[in-house]
Amino acid sequence: MHIVDRRLNPGSKSFANRQRFLRRAKDMVEKAVREASKDRAIGDLESPGEISIPSEGTREPTFRHTQGSRRDLVLPGNKDYVEGDLIERPQGEGEGDGAGGQVGRGDGQEDAFRFILTRDEFLSIFLDDLELPDLAKRRVAQTEKEGLRRAGFTTTGTPANLALHRTLQTSLSRRIALKRPKQQAVDELERNIEAAELRDAAEAERLRGELKTLQQKRARISYLDPIDLRYRRFERFPKPVTQAVMFCLMDVSGSMTEHMKDLAKRFFMLLHVFLTRRYKRVEIVFIRHTDRAGEVDEETFFRSAETGGTMVSSALQEMARIIRERYDPGVWNIYAAQASDGDNLSSDNPQTRELLQNHILPLCQYFAYVEVSGPNSDTHGYAPHHGQTSLWITYASLQKESEKFQMRRVSRREHIYSVFRQLFQRRAAKTAEAN
Amino acid sequence: MRGELLFEGKDWDFETIQRIHDAVATIAHKELGLDTFANQIEVITAEQMLDAYASTGMPLFYKHWSFGKRFAQHEGIYRMGLQGLAYEIVINADPCISYIMEENSATMQTLVIAHAAFGHNHFFKHNYQFRQWTDPEGILDYLSFAKTYIANCEERYGHAEVERLLDAAHALMPQGIDRYPRKRPMNLQLEEKREQDRKEERERLYDDLWRTVPGRARGSRQLASDKRRALLGLPQENILYFLEKVAPRLKPWQREVLRIVRLIAQYFYPQQQTKVMNEGCATYCHYRLLGRLHETGQIGDGSFLEFLTSHTNATRQPFYDSPSYSGINPYALGFDMMRDIERIVREPTEEDRYWFPEIAGTGDEMEVLRHVWANYRDDSFIAQFLSPRLIRNWRLFHVVDDREHPHLEVAAIHNERGYRDLRRSLAAQYEVGGYAPDIQVVDVDLAGNRKLVLHHRVRDGKMLELANASMVLGHLANLWGYEVLLQEIDATSEQVLKEHMVRPEHG
């Protein structure tokens, strides 16, 4: 008998089959992932997920019989039937299919089943669905500034980069190694010659010869040789932008429906994924407002509704305050997305515009305004619709002025991504041109 | 003759396994007269068990998404705790490979070794179905060849192409089995060599000049229908075999892949037909073996109780009206029948003597059982050995569900009048023809439009389930490359009940 320990080479054999299955069930998995991401907190999007896939779509067909006109069942556990008894046809069919069912088991069960995706699988499917990776990559390439950093010394370079200190060090060690006579020695010899000339001409002559040798040697071994030259070497390296904060601003006055909040949440989620791919650390600040604004947690932000007037400027003021207190624009990359149904107190509009233009935008990398509307309004994108909201009109002029500010409308879930893309891609395209 | 305990507590190491194996082997070979292939026991993790499960229990298998799906399904069920893993998988190979999971307690390892490494192992080695259709020496090499071959195809022809082909082949897998032996016995070791030779031959014969030789004028005479059918070996129930040999549009590598799927299907065919007997044999063996180990003091009382709990769970048969009823449990039926044979051999009643004159009271139950294990399959086994006593114990009854009647009718119960009926009806449920649709290739118009004609012989109005059938036929048409017509024909009246016509997707 032979015992083999297979645990030693676990090499997950299932991996390749799993990949094939995911590829096969792509559509269903994508749908399931979309569904699953609905109930997640924004920051949780990247944790591994359990999804449920209907096995219907990945069915493996074989020829099978229908029930036919006559079935014979042999069942165990008869209590009081006798031969010839008639039994009511049971309602739930398919019960007690006897041995035939046993044999065919395995592909006979076609229920939905749960599938646990790893974080990477989940995210890549979430993003794949959204075609975000390309976009993200391009953006990352642009924002990761190339830095230069010192990387030792080199023997070639431009005069501007000459490393004087290092060059002289090298020269000194060469001079020592080759025993180049020092100036002091020459000076001393000259003094000795002067002294000797007075007393002993022969001695002076000998010393003069010595001096000559010394000077010849000095001439041969130069003070600074081309091989001593050292230049500072610089190396290019990508300089990642390390932290970002994302402001989620939302109008929660009574007019914002659950549907609108859902749209907003999806938008924020995308923004969050986008930013986490780009920065090491992303913080989220939730600010909701009616006619007053306040910072809240995510739960409150999306779940609760308030009533009252709407003053968008209050949220902007709150944002400006939080930036002042916690996020130094010199250190933080600041992003904001504002979601609103566009309904603002008309007297507040000039102030809102002024705040955004002069105080917020200069601090932000990007500010996106998403106007959400009911599922039945089919406007999305930039297409102006009939009832332009007061906020829309207020903001419209800003968009022309600043590339940092973009606005879009969205009314249905499936449009979120395209809107997101428009908002971010357009700017990316322009920066690309500028480069 | 009380021996020393083989182990104490739950823990085990390789030495323990060796001791257990040797102790079990002594009893199995000397006392029960089992004759087995050499054993190889492999320790694996739960994940590896799921893995093996997903790829039909085989240690190496080619890659396909359906195994990923199966893995996910099993994993889901396992994680939810609905079901423990089967504690054993055993491979019909020589040496016979049994997997044991690292999480199992020493008692469970003993159970698995007794069950798989001796019970199943003996059955594989002796049952005529396995002897006829499987090649334990060649299987692992063949699977390894198949895996590499398909991986190479993926590399050369692309994943999608290979996946389409495998999907189609899998759909036809139940129709890729020879149910009756043909001339050639199974020898998988030669398979790889055959493919290699064929490849070399092709390379040797390859001569580009042939391409420029004008083709022969097409034979205008059409073969007489009968002659043609005879040439093609029609009617043919093994559709995969037929496609491999005759399908005009398949490339050589595609034929080879069909062949791989077909040979593997054939390899598993005996397992389908002997489920009750095979599990019955293994369960009966482990029951005897562990009982004996306990008797001889080689396993403690605690272990024995642990074993009994598992054993009882595995051989539980809920009654039809219990919520946990899901058909007849092959472990329970098999085990009870083996025990029943033991009883008939040792302590027959008058009834047993009447029903089983050949074996009643002969005294050596192992001799009888070894004979039974070697020479029957589920349907013939039940038809021969289901005793009135067992029918009464199980309180079996036969219900006829005829669509034309408003009620179900009880046709037989466990009484004098019912025994024969029950035995026959239960055996019929295990007949090969009972669950696999009888579909045959009957004709093909090779000179004309190349339409392939198949017949499904319908019994008891069991037509093909439409959604599945049209998917499978789609696959079939793609492999064939031309139109496919499937006629459903009533087996008694020869009337055509329904026709399905499918065209291939491309071309």
Side-chain angles (χ1 to χ4, degrees):
Chain A
M1 198 263 304
H2 215 66
I3 307 181
V4 181
D5 194 349
R6 285 279 170 227
R7 294 170 298 178
L8 302 177
N9 50 342
S12 62
K13 265 198 299 170
S14 56
F15 182 75
N17 288 329
R18 185 183 169 88
Q19 292 300 308
R20 281 170 170 73
F21 174 67
L22 281 177
R23 201 170 54 210
R24 173 73 180 211
K26 191 161 171 281
D27 295 344
M28 275 162 303
V29 175
E30 275 175 5
K31 205 170 145 213
V33 164
R34 265 199 301 270
E35 277 304 299
S37 47
K38 196 168 77 180
D39 298 325
R40 291 180 164 219
I42 289 176
D44 278 353
L45 192 63
E46 301 208 29
S47 55
E50 188 177 307
I51 54 165
S52 177
I53 310 171
S55 23
E56 189 55 25
T58 51
R59 197 159 60 166
E60 296 162 79
T62 50
F63 284 124
R64 273 165 233 183
H65 280 140
T66 52
Q67 290 217 322
S69 54
R70 178 192 154 108
R71 280 201 304 163
D72 284 284
L73 305 170
V74 176
L75 304 168
N78 177 27
K79 298 212 172 61
D80 35 35
Y81 291 126
V82 295
E83 194 185 324
D85 271 0
L86 297 180
I87 310 173
E88 277 303 316
R89 207 177 284 280
Q91 287 308 307
E93 271 301 12
E95 197 55 34
D97 53 352
Q102 285 271 312
V103 174
R105 190 183 278 186
D107 46 12
Q109 307 162 321
E110 295 280 3
D111 309 327
F113 61 91
R114 328 250 338 133
F115 199 85
I116 295 165
L117 294 174
T118 63
R119 170 186 173 282
D120 278 351
E121 280 171 341
F122 193 90
L123 204 59
S124 89
I125 290 164
F126 181 78
L127 296 178
D128 193 40
D129 175 30
L130 301 165
E131 295 164 21
L132 194 58
D134 274 353
L135 175 65
K137 249 180 269 159
R138 210 181 317 146
R139 301 281 301 167
V140 170
Q142 279 166 4
T143 49
E144 284 202 350
K145 287 183 203 135
E146 277 221 321
L148 283 177
R149 69 177 162 213
R150 298 281 296 268
F153 299 93
T154 162
T155 51
T156 56
T158 59
N161 285 337
L162 185 69
L164 205 57
H165 188 74
R166 177 55 67 107
T167 304
L168 287 175
Q169 261 180 355
T170 324
S171 136
L172 179 63
S173 39
R174 182 179 50 83
R175 277 177 276 138
I176 292 171
L178 297 177
K179 297 203 172 69
R180 183 184 197 257
K182 289 188 175 156
Q183 188 61 43
Q184 282 163 313
V186 177
D187 290 349
E188 198 187 320
L189 204 56
E190 279 174 348
R191 273 197 303 279
N192 288 349
I193 292 170
E194 268 172 43
E197 271 175 346
L198 301 175
R199 293 175 278 117
D200 181 354
E203 171 72 3
E205 192 55 31
R206 191 187 59 81
L207 284 177
R208 240 181 249 116
E210 212 172 289
L211 178 66
K212 199 176 173 198
T213 326
L214 219 60
Q215 274 165 339
Q216 273 171 352
K217 208 169 178 185
R218 270 175 69 87
R220 265 203 316 276
I221 305 167
S222 64
Y223 181 79
L224 196 63
D225 191 274
I227 66 164
D228 299 335
L229 295 181
R230 290 294 180 273
Y231 299 88
R232 288 187 294 271
R233 198 173 90 81
F234 290 93
E235 190 180 63
R236 290 174 183 282
F237 75 104
K239 196 164 152 194
V241 183
T242 51
Q243 44 193 1
V245 58
M246 165 183 141
F247 284 87
C248 306
L249 308 177
M250 187 157 71
D251 176 359
V252 291
S253 61
S255 56
M256 283 288 283
T257 62
E258 280 305 313
H259 170 78
M260 292 170 175
K261 287 182 197 167
D262 181 56
L263 292 179
K265 179 172 178 179
R266 279 155 195 276
F267 189 83
F268 292 132
M269 261 178 156
L270 270 179
L271 182 59
H272 187 258
V273 169
F274 176 64
L275 293 178
T276 44
R277 286 282 142 138
R278 207 168 135 187
Y279 301 105
K280 278 213 182 94
R281 221 173 110 212
V282 179
E283 293 201 356
I284 319 176
V285 177
F286 296 100
I287 299 173
R288 58 172 201 166
H289 71 92
T290 52
D291 51 355
R292 268 165 308 155
E295 188 182 348
V296 293
D297 61 18
E298 184 174 343
E299 184 64 18
T300 323
F301 187 74
F302 289 109
R303 304 285 175 231
S304 71
E306 305 243 318
T307 46
T310 311
M311 266 173 62
V312 175
S313 64
S314 65
L316 297 179
Q317 256 155 5
E318 178 74 358
M319 178 175 165
R321 180 186 69 80
I322 292 173
I323 293 176
R324 239 186 348 265
E325 288 173 9
R326 305 204 314 247
Y327 300 102
D328 174 6
V331 182
W332 289 87
N333 295 282
I334 299 168
Y335 290 82
Q338 182 188 2
S340 164
D341 58 358
D343 203 13
N344 194 22
L345 205 66
S346 51
S347 62
D348 185 46
N349 285 333
Q351 200 192 348
T352 304
R353 188 181 189 287
E354 199 270 334
L355 257 173
L356 195 58
Q357 186 174 23
N358 299 330
H359 295 94
I360 303 282
L361 284 183
L363 303 179
C364 284
Q365 303 282 101
Y366 198 68
F367 191 109
Y369 170 61
V370 184
E371 194 161 294
V372 288
S373 48
N376 298 325
S377 128
D378 32 311
T379 51
H380 73 279
Y382 189 62
H385 61 133
H386 306 302
Q388 291 204 345
T389 63
S390 61
L391 200 56
W392 186 268
I393 296 164
T394 310
Y395 279 170
S397 58
L398 270 178
Q399 173 165 259
K400 291 190 193 98
E401 285 171 29
S402 171
E403 276 182 12
K404 284 182 181 177
F405 179 81
Q406 293 294 329
M407 52 201 280
R408 285 293 182 279
R409 277 199 181 88
V410 64
S411 60
R412 291 219 298 269
R413 274 182 206 164
E414 54 269 35
H415 297 145
I416 296 268
Y417 177 64
S418 70
V419 165
F420 182 84
R421 215 173 134 88
Q422 285 171 23
L423 284 173
F424 283 83
Q425 199 180 32
R426 188 176 140 141
R427 184 162 168 266
K430 285 212 172 161
T431 356
E433 278 164 34
N435 289 349
Chain B
M1 51 167 286
R2 295 195 71 78
E4 268 185 40
L5 283 182
L6 294 166
F7 53 84
E8 271 175 278
K10 293 176 91 64
D11 297 338
W12 54 268
D13 55 20
F14 283 12
E15 279 168 37
T16 321
I17 298 292
Q18 184 74 52
R19 264 202 313 279
I20 293 171
H21 174 271
D22 294 347
V24 173
T26 310
I27 304 173
H29 294 148
K30 299 223 171 97
E31 296 183 23
L32 302 188
L34 299 183
D35 169 37
T36 52
F37 295 124
N39 275 312
Q40 176 163 327
I41 289 171
E42 305 202 354
V43 182
I44 60 173
T45 60
E47 195 190 346
Q48 287 172 314
M49 182 63 96
L50 281 167
D51 234 1
Y53 235 49
S55 45
T56 58
M58 283 304 185
L60 25 94
F61 221 63
Y62 57 83
K63 296 185 175 15
H64 187 255
W65 62 269
S66 59
F67 308 135
K69 170 185 161 181
R70 228 163 288 165
F71 182 87
Q73 272 172 326
H74 289 310
E75 189 189 34
I77 294 172
Y78 177 56
R79 288 230 175 126
M80 280 195 290
L82 287 185
Q83 176 184 311
L85 283 174
Y87 19 74
E88 45 99 8
I89 284 185
V90 52
I91 293 156
N92 169 24
D94 183 10
C96 176
I97 300 173
S98 312
Y99 291 147
I100 58 177
M101 261 203 304
E102 60 173 353
E103 290 89 339
N104 288 349
S105 67
T107 307
M108 291 304 287
Q109 307 297 32
T110 315
L111 170 56
V112 171
I113 290 171
H115 180 93
F118 290 91
H120 283 307
N121 187 342
H122 173 87
F123 194 82
F124 288 149
K125 189 168 175 186
H126 292 275
N127 184 264
Y128 80 107
Q129 288 283 322
F130 285 88
R131 294 169 78 98
Q132 176 141 53
W133 292 121
T134 69
D135 173 19
E137 274 176 49
I139 183 67
L140 293 182
D141 287 340
Y142 186 67
L143 287 177
S144 152
F145 154 72
K147 186 181 171 182
T148 320
Y149 190 89
I150 289 180
N152 288 342
C153 288
E154 281 180 341
E155 223 161 85
R156 289 180 69 166
Y157 309 105
H159 282 278
E161 188 82 358
V162 176
E163 183 171 296
R164 255 202 305 281
L165 180 66
L166 282 176
D167 283 354
H170 286 180
L172 290 164
M173 221 166 162
Q175 276 69 42
I177 295 165
D178 287 326
R179 298 201 157 76
Y180 307 98
R182 271 186 283 136
K183 294 150 273 174
R184 201 175 51 88
M186 194 86 162
N187 187 345
L188 293 174
Q189 265 169 344
L190 292 180
E191 281 292 321
E192 183 174 3
K193 191 176 167 324
R194 186 194 55 86
E195 168 57 21
Q196 192 60 36
D197 290 350
R198 190 184 262 186
K199 201 172 128 202
E200 278 162 16
E201 180 73 359
R202 270 200 306 272
E203 279 167 10
R204 199 172 59 75
L205 289 180
Y206 180 74
D207 185 346
D208 202 40
L209 275 180
W210 284 110
R211 199 170 43 76
T212 61
V213 176
R216 253 186 311 155
R218 292 187 59 202
S220 52
R221 279 161 293 123
Q222 192 182 332
L223 288 166
S225 162
D226 283 354
K227 199 176 166 197
R228 180 183 70 219
R229 288 168 46 131
L231 273 176
L232 293 171
L234 294 177
Q236 173 61 260
E237 63 161 352
N238 191 332
I239 300 178
L240 282 180
Y241 175 80
F242 178 81
L243 290 170
E244 177 197 328
K245 299 295 176 204
V246 183
R249 289 197 156 179
L250 293 179
K251 298 182 189 82
W253 69 270
Q254 293 171 317
R255 294 181 203 276
E256 188 62 32
V257 170
L258 291 189
R259 184 179 180 88
I260 286 170
V261 172
R262 172 170 74 80
L263 292 181
I264 289 173
Q266 189 76 59
Y267 197 81
F268 287 112
Y269 176 59
Q271 313 222 357
Q272 277 177 36
Q273 294 191 76
T274 53
K275 177 102 175 135
V276 171
M277 288 191 74
N278 200 349
E279 293 305 350
C281 167
T283 308
Y284 179 79
C285 288
H286 81 224
Y287 184 76
R288 290 282 305 256
L289 289 164
L290 270 93
R292 193 75 185 119
L293 284 177
H294 182 233
E295 257 173 52
T296 53
Q298 299 185 75
I299 56 173
D301 292 344
S303 291
F304 192 62
L305 276 178
E306 185 191 346
F307 152 70
L308 281 179
T309 313
S310 269
H311 170 78
T312 318
N313 280 339
T315 54
R316 211 171 74 84
Q317 176 62 60
F319 280 168
Y320 80 99
D321 51 356
S322 146
S324 59
Y325 178 78
S326 63
I328 286 177
N329 173 359
Y331 289 81
L333 182 61
F335 178 67
D336 281 7
M337 285 185 69
M338 301 307 166
R339 290 274 287 169
D340 199 44
I341 290 173
E342 178 187 322
R343 185 189 59 77
I344 294 167
V345 171
R346 286 185 172 267
E347 301 152 358
T349 60
E350 269 317 299
E351 183 185 52
D352 297 324
R353 287 189 194 281
Y354 171 72
W355 282 72
F356 304 101
E358 301 87 9
I359 62 168
T362 53
D364 184 351
E365 76 280 358
M366 284 314 295
E367 193 193 324
V368 173
L369 285 173
R370 283 194 304 268
H371 172 78
V372 168
W373 292 336
N375 297 300
Y376 289 82
R377 58 179 201 203
D378 286 350
D379 54 342
S380 55
F381 173 60
I382 291 167
Q384 189 75 32
F385 292 102
L386 186 66
S387 74
R389 162 80 79 111
L390 199 61
I391 292 176
R392 286 196 299 274
N393 283 353
W394 277 50
R395 311 184 73 83
L396 290 175
F397 65 117
H398 175 196
V399 178
V400 174
D401 175 359
D402 194 326
R403 293 274 136 184
E404 299 192 347
H405 297 295
H407 291 96
L408 309 181
E409 191 187 341
V410 177
I413 66 159
H414 48 89
N415 61 15
E416 204 65 46
R417 281 153 52 87
Y419 297 143
R420 286 188 195 282
D421 175 291
L422 280 166
R423 195 150 93 161
R424 200 178 50 240
S425 322
L426 188 62
Q429 295 193 353
Y430 291 91
E431 260 171 41
V432 189
Y435 45 88
D438 173 14
I439 296 173
Q440 303 195 348
V441 180
V442 292
D443 202 3
V444 49
D445 181 4
L446 271 187
N449 62 7
R450 297 185 165 175
K451 185 166 73 185
L452 187 67
V453 185
L454 297 104
H455 280 177
H456 170 225
R457 300 185 72 79
V458 180
R459 284 172 216 281
D460 292 333
K462 287 182 186 161
M463 307 279 284
L464 291 178
E465 204 252 294
L466 193 61
N468 273 305
S470 54
M471 283 166 88
V472 181
L473 285 171
H475 283 308
L476 176 56
N478 288 341
L479 290 176
W480 179 243
Y482 301 92
E483 282 179 351
V484 171
L485 172 70
L486 174 75
Q487 294 179 314
E488 301 205 51
I489 292 179
D490 190 282
T492 39
S493 67
E494 299 286 323
Q495 235 181 335
V496 177
L497 302 171
K498 196 170 186 176
E499 289 195 336
H500 311 262
M501 180 78 154
V502 195
R503 271 171 237 283
E505 271 168 41
H506 0 259

